[in-house]
Amino acid sequence: MTDSELQSYVVSLRRELHKIPETGVALPETGRFVTRELERLGIPYTQPNPGGGIWAEIKGGAPGKTAALRADMDALPIDEKTELPFSSRNPGYMHACGHDAHTAMLLGAARVLAGEREGLKGSVRLLFQTGEEIAKGARELIDAGALEGVDGIFGMHIGTLFGEKYPSGTILVPPGCCMASFDRFTLTISGFGCHGSSPEKGVDPIYIAGHVVLALRGLAAREIPAARAAVVSLGRIQGGRQYNLIPGQVELEGTTRALDQETRMKLARRLEEVSSGIAAAFGGHCRCEMDWGAPALTNDGRCAALAAEALRRDLPGVPVEDRLDAPNMGGEDFAYYLERVPGAYLFLSTYSSEKGTDFPHHNERFDVDESKLWEGSAAYAAIARRFLEEP
Ligand code: NI
């Protein structure tokens, strides 16, 4: 298959997928689309839960190692504003992170690799997961046994994650840590409700919440060494119903990000100690719940080097960067695979202001530069090929 045949195949798949965004861990329509395509390509697959993650296997002509390639398939609860002719047909939902492209690019790689399967020594396992945005899809596939027998795993994110420094078409494959851990916390501050005219008769959780908000701002700044990255952000604060009524409870919700496990655990511990200490000081109470997300994403040095080498060999002319200025503080549940199997996560930039593909991820106008989609497929195939060659 030529690059331009691959390109038109992947673009047509991506446009179909873009029309049918689904969120969470049940993606029935998307799953049907993917399994139908795998059947067409003659690649056997498994889907343990209806609407859930799928894995497929391309068995080579000779025995050898197993290389896994992963795509995520889920979308976001966003109203699309791109005005693309293949915009979302599912109102209120949108592929605003490029996972439609990931799925299409992996199917493109599947087609390439299936066409050369006789020459492959070993197997290529294709992982199509759900629920990346909620950090649940990778664990579903792992628990179902999708990593059994896998020797190395590779994944890729398309889009604008690392900004304008990397023009569209650049592939980044950094060794070491490249994305942060992401955890969600909920603080429930309880006081004692009363009339707004006589606050001394109650315990005001809004007042307590004000102190907690300020104190949490200081956590990263005062308790984590400046050279270590840490973020504590609040995304929701809710409480009260009327101007003259001091409520009994206020709820805060936020996220913590870190690049190492020690900082991640310290943030979680201090978050709870500081907020419950402040609540107690003012006569209230604070309950802290952690909803643990994925750990920081750390690429295996050898796998990253192998991937960079494969790209330079099989995709001459494609700019490959193997160093990052700084990790991205976003999270990625690909980190769960990397906890179990060595591998590397890559980034395919499609940042282009001329093409209007410079919007941030999760924006209602986010789009990818489609002219680079073949590159993603060719990159997946090149890496799998190279990985299986290595004894
Ligand atoms: Ni994403």
Side-chain angles (χ1 to χ4, degrees), residues 178-198:
C178 42
M179 290 186 95
S181 60
F182 64 114
D183 301 310
R184 185 173 72 99
F185 63 87
T186 310
L187 303 174
T188 309
I189 299 172
S190 304
F192 190 79
C194 62
H195 199 288
S197 63
S198 41

Side-chain angles (χ1 to χ4, degrees), residues 118-330:
E118 278 314 308
L120 293 176
K121 202 170 135 238
S123 297
V124 180
R125 191 166 307 165
L126 311 161
L127 269 55
F128 295 91
Q129 73 158 82
T130 64
E132 190 283 320
E133 297 290 352
I134 53 171
K136 294 214 161 39
R139 280 183 293 179
E140 182 208 29
L141 279 186
I142 293 167
D143 293 346
L147 281 188
E148 267 161 42
V150 168
D151 299 290
I153 185 161
F154 298 87
M156 192 183 315
H157 211 302
I158 199 168
T160 60
L161 287 171
F162 289 94
E164 62 191 44
K165 183 171 178 212
Y166 303 101
S168 187
T170 312
I171 300 180
L172 289 100
V173 50
C177 183
C178 42
M179 290 186 95
S181 60
F182 64 114
D183 301 310
R184 185 173 72 99
F185 63 87
T186 310
L187 303 174
T188 309
I189 299 172
S190 304
F192 190 79
C194 62
H195 199 288
S197 63
S198 41
E200 74 283 1
K201 292 182 180 157
V203 173
D204 182 355
I206 292 183
Y207 174 68
I208 296 172
H211 284 267
V212 169
V213 169
L214 292 178
L216 294 188
R217 286 288 173 269
L219 269 194
R222 300 292 84 180
E223 301 202 20
I224 305 294
R228 286 197 185 192
V231 178
V232 180
S233 285
L234 288 162
R236 182 173 70 86
I237 175 161
Q238 234 156 13
R241 297 190 61 183
Q242 190 173 291
Y243 82 102
N244 62 350
L245 201 160
I246 289 174
Q249 221 169 54
V250 169
E251 223 176 63
L252 296 94
E253 199 181 13
T255 185
T256 55
R257 309 286 166 130
L259 298 178
D260 64 275
Q261 198 62 7
E262 193 189 332
T263 305
R264 181 188 189 197
M265 290 303 153
K266 181 165 183 185
L267 287 178
R269 179 170 55 83
R270 290 295 293 147
L271 184 73
E272 173 154 28
E273 286 171 1
V274 168
S275 43
S276 49
I278 290 171
F282 293 111
H285 178 263
C286 180
R287 197 178 71 236
C288 177
E289 277 168 289
M290 288 302 295
D291 178 10
W292 298 100
L297 186 149
T298 304
N299 280 348
D300 176 79
R302 278 190 59 194
C303 289
L306 177 142
E309 190 198 310
L311 298 176
R312 289 185 179 122
R313 184 187 71 179
D314 291 0
L315 283 78
V318 166
V320 176
E321 287 277 349
D322 53 15
R323 285 278 169 266
L324 264 190
D325 291 343
N328 182 295
M329 294 309 284

Side-chain angles (χ1 to χ4, degrees), residues 311-370:
L311 298 176
R312 289 185 179 122
R313 184 187 71 179
D314 291 0
L315 283 78
V318 166
V320 176
E321 287 277 349
D322 53 15
R323 285 278 169 266
L324 264 190
D325 291 343
N328 182 295
M329 294 309 284
E332 172 50 74
D333 82 347
F334 191 79
Y336 288 121
Y337 303 115
L338 291 182
E339 277 190 323
R340 288 158 181 86
V341 175
Y345 198 61
L346 289 76
F347 303 91
L348 167 58
S349 168
T350 55
Y351 188 102
S352 165
S353 347
E354 296 91 71
K355 293 189 174 168
T357 56
D358 52 352
F359 287 94
H361 288 251
H362 297 201
N363 182 285
E364 59 205 11
R365 293 178 68 192
F366 175 84
D367 190 16
V368 299
D369 175 1
E370 282 188 331

Side-chain angles (χ1 to χ4, degrees), residues 1-13 34 36-43 56-58 69 102-118 120 124-126 128 374 376-378 380-382 384-385:
M1 196 169 29
T2 66
D3 287 348
S4 74
E5 282 164 354
L6 176 61
Q7 168 68 4
S8 55
Y9 175 66
V10 182
V11 168
S12 69
L13 296 179
V34 169
R36 201 173 51 226
E37 209 48 45
L38 289 169
E39 278 161 21
R40 264 187 210 146
L41 297 172
I43 302 171
E57 188 124 335
I58 303 170
L69 302 174
H102 298 167
T103 306
M105 293 190 305
L106 188 54
L107 285 167
R111 187 165 161 186
V112 171
L113 291 165
E116 56 189 66
R117 75 174 99 200
E118 278 314 308
L120 293 176
V124 180
R125 191 166 307 165
L126 311 161
F128 295 91
W374 71 273
S377 296
Y380 273 133
R385 218 178 267 137

